[in-house]
Amino acid sequence: MNDATIRQQVLDALKSVAPEIEPQHLRCDRPLREEVDLDSMDWLRFLGTLHRSTGVNIPEADYQQLDSVDALVAYLRLRKG
């Protein structure tokens, strides 16, 4: 799977949790929780949606490294093989 497809899955999952966001205005290299005002429950729903759409299990121990769209894309690329 290529980065563009993975990025779209990340943005779709994000949009499902925070429908008010405008993905084209996100800075993909900046901390996601600052770019999009996600509380803890929204963050967990976002990761759950991402898991369901990609099939990649994201253990809680990895949450801290998933701080931007770019980091999520790289993480998912490695785990989707």
Side-chain angles (χ1 to χ4, degrees):
M1 198 162 265
N2 66 35
D3 283 4
T5 302
I6 295 170
R7 184 174 307 276
Q8 190 59 53
Q9 288 178 309
V10 170
L11 294 175
D12 288 347
L14 189 58
K15 191 92 169 126
S16 76
V17 173
E20 71 281 359
I21 68 156
E22 296 179 24
Q24 67 274 18
H25 293 120
L26 286 178
R27 296 222 9 227
C28 294
D29 60 334
R30 297 213 27 190
L32 189 55
R33 290 180 81 174
E34 291 176 17
E35 284 288 295
V36 180
D37 189 25
L38 297 177
D39 63 23
S40 297
M41 289 306 296
D42 288 339
W43 181 249
L44 291 175
R45 282 197 333 252
F46 165 63
L47 292 177
T49 300
L50 202 51
H51 168 70
R52 286 187 296 282
S53 69
T54 64
V56 174
N57 185 36
I58 304 171
E60 188 174 347
D62 291 348
Y63 289 1
Q64 201 165 20
Q65 64 182 310
L66 306 176
D67 64 345
S68 68
V69 171
D70 289 345
L72 277 158
V73 170
Y75 180 91
L76 293 169
R77 182 184 349 100
L78 289 173
R79 277 141 188 91
K80 286 184 78 97

